[in-house]
Amino acid sequence: MKNLCLIFFITLLFISCGKKDEQIPEVEKPYRLSDSYENISMPGLIYVCHITNNFVSVIDNQKYELIGKISAGAGTDYIAFSPDRNTGYITNFNSGNLTVFDTKTNKTIATVEAGENPTFILPINESKKVLVSHESAEGIWVLEAEKNTMIQRIKERTGPLYLIEQENKIYQPQIFTPFLCVIDPNTLEVVKEIKTGGRPMGMAFTQQKKFAYMVNFDSSEVTKFDTKTDSIVRKIKNINNPRGIAPTHDSKFVYVTNVVDDKVTVINTENDSVIAKIDVFKMPTSIAFTKDDKYAFVSNQGAASVSVIDTKSFKIVKTIDVAGNPIFLISE
């Protein structure tokens, strides 16, 4: 029960003023999927991490159905791929390790010790390194990709990692404090700290990463940044407890999950206005889009499901039942 409380406390972002009676579902639905299936590594697959399970689910985005899984450690929390997409990486929040797998076979290549509560992953192709950050005091660990060994540990910093190639820097929202760190990708030292006004939980970038939209959980706003100057362009208010954020591929819209209100907010990036608030979710956490931007997929942690949204009508067209506690998803 202690571990369950810890998972709830961290993964639901310390919602002390929200729905105190929410509980992580403990009863799993029947869920048997092969880890060997057709269309492995097919572009456009949806990968779903489950914070209380030891696998990543895979959804076919053409048929909108589960087609398989990738075995990993306990508490899969995040998945990322090498730039050449030959290798995948999964953080295992509960077992404290990193699963490295071959994307052609979905078989594990290595399991690497990664410290307490590893979460976010950032592969950096030029240096052949993979950065792993944590929701704990472990800070950032550095994996040497060719040997799959940890070679460096950096002082405490928490939050997702985003590489802005054209400006040669990394953004890391500090999910427990109201700051955005700007990091030198070569030295991995913090070169700047920007006050955000609320705990920043994640970022979404327009094409060429000229602008970034960041969700601030405490202040219930989305902040727009100029990535060249690291300056705040605008604050979009009244977006309650934003948790996850993702842009459409054409950068025309940004979708935000409101984990307490059980909604998804849609922002038009042309004028930074809210154009829709979509209902019928339960603790939505993460968003991904099909390559043509016709559909959005939303993980509902509180409902053990993934919702499929028609991005023209803003209507849910299908709900896909998955294993419990889908915390993160990505389209590749």
Side-chain angles (χ1 to χ4, degrees), residues 122-124 126 160-173 180-185 203-213 225-230:
L122 176 62
I124 302 178
E126 291 76 9
L161 298 157
Y162 306 94
L163 179 64
I164 295 83
E165 298 90 342
Q166 69 272 24
E167 300 297 334
N168 193 36
K169 60 189 174 186
I170 293 170
Y171 280 155
Q172 187 182 32
L180 171 67
C181 285
V182 183
I183 300 171
D184 185 312
M203 305 181 79
F205 297 85
T206 58
Q207 290 174 346
Q208 287 79 51
K209 297 185 178 177
K210 291 182 179 180
F211 293 100
Y213 289 82
F225 280 91
D226 183 317
T227 60
K228 187 175 183 62
T229 63
D230 293 330

Side-chain angles (χ1 to χ4, degrees), residues 217-235:
F217 185 80
D218 292 329
S219 57
S220 292
E221 64 187 15
V222 173
T223 305
K224 184 179 182 179
F225 280 91
D226 183 317
T227 60
K228 187 175 183 62
T229 63
D230 293 330
S231 59
I232 297 174
V233 176
R234 184 173 288 110
K235 290 185 177 181

Side-chain angles (χ1 to χ4, degrees), residues 14 42 52 112 142 146 163 172 180 237 240 253 274 276 289:
F14 306 98
M42 180 180 69
T52 51
V112 185
V142 183
E146 290 184 339
L163 179 64
Q172 187 182 32
L180 171 67
K237 302 284 189 176
N240 293 336
F253 304 96
V274 173
F289 295 90

Side-chain angles (χ1 to χ4, degrees), residues 89-92 97-98 112-115 117-123 129-134 138-143 150 152-154 157 159 161 172:
Y89 302 92
I90 300 168
T91 50
N92 303 307
N97 50 29
L98 181 73
V112 185
E113 172 62 31
N117 305 140
T119 50
F120 305 102
I121 308 163
L122 176 62
K129 294 178 180 178
V130 178
L131 307 185
V132 181
S133 66
H134 300 71
E138 298 284 0
I140 297 173
W141 289 28
V142 183
L143 179 82
M150 293 292 181
Q152 188 178 359
R153 300 181 189 180
I154 305 168
R157 293 199 296 272
L161 298 157
Q172 187 182 32

